[in-house]
Amino acid sequence: MPQSLANVLVHIVFSTKDRYPFLGDKDFRSELHAYLGGTSKACGCAVLCIGGVADHVHLLCSLSRTMALANLIQELKVQSSKWAKTKKTTLRKFSWQNGYGVFSVGRGEINHIVDYIRNQEEHHRRTTFQDEYRALLREYEMEFDERYVWD
């Protein structure tokens, strides 16, 4: 086959370091989401949706056939962290947690995941990031050790 094609959709989730609410300002959060979208696009990974609340983000994107998942996430975190630190003096200590979660998404799940990401503020009126993340890990039947999930 002479042409390489890929259609891999992923739901990416990562938090600020220690779940500190760096993203509490909604205007800044919107700018950050746009920046993450631009970074993802520059990596060849089209973004379908970005959302989150004060302490974490969710991205639904199409993974490029030439971009390794870990490299995409590293690029998202490094570039957005550098960018955030230039925006306000209160963000000089901004950083993301070391880890992340990635969940595969089938074509039939896109609308559900987009709605889920867009409704993060409503969702987090009832649950914490930690509880949400544990639920995602259980839903996707991923084994994890609490000692190493949080930083």
Side-chain angles (χ1 to χ4, degrees):
M1 180 183 302
Q3 186 177 23
S4 299
L5 302 170
N7 185 7
V8 179
L9 298 172
V10 291
H11 176 188
I12 301 169
V13 182
F14 51 87
S15 170
T16 57
K17 180 79 171 169
D18 298 319
R19 275 117 4 251
Y20 188 83
F22 283 115
L23 314 178
D25 179 305
K26 289 183 182 183
D27 291 334
F28 170 72
R29 188 183 324 150
S30 292
E31 284 184 62
L32 176 72
H33 292 170
Y35 191 86
L36 287 166
T39 302
S40 186
K41 184 177 179 182
C43 291
C45 300
V47 171
L48 285 74
C49 189
I50 299 177
V53 292
D55 64 354
H56 70 280
V57 296
H58 292 256
L59 294 92
L60 176 60
C61 67
S62 176
L63 190 60
S64 163
R65 66 177 182 76
T66 60
M67 175 62 73
L69 182 59
N71 292 344
L72 170 63
I73 294 168
Q74 179 182 7
E75 197 68 14
L76 290 168
K77 287 181 173 184
V78 167
Q79 296 306 320
S80 63
S81 183
K82 286 179 184 177
W83 173 84
K85 290 174 183 180
T86 68
K87 298 305 284 181
K88 299 179 188 178
T89 56
T90 57
L91 294 171
R92 286 200 178 126
K93 293 186 178 185
F94 179 90
S95 65
W96 296 110
Q97 72 176 88
N98 288 323
Y100 56 86
V102 177
F103 309 94
S104 59
V105 175
R107 303 287 313 160
E109 298 174 287
I110 293 173
N111 291 338
H112 170 72
I113 300 298
V114 167
D115 287 345
Y116 180 78
I117 292 172
R118 286 185 178 153
N119 290 313
Q120 280 291 292
E121 286 195 45
E122 177 64 31
H123 177 71
H124 285 287
R125 288 188 183 120
R126 300 181 307 273
T127 189
T128 65
F129 169 70
Q130 290 96 323
D131 288 341
E132 172 190 45
Y133 193 66
R134 286 183 196 105
L136 282 168
L137 293 172
R138 284 190 296 271
E139 179 182 341
Y140 283 86
E141 299 177 3
M142 298 174 75
E143 292 184 25
F144 64 97
D145 185 331
E146 284 277 341
R147 294 174 298 172
Y148 305 110
V149 173
W150 317 113
D151 68 348

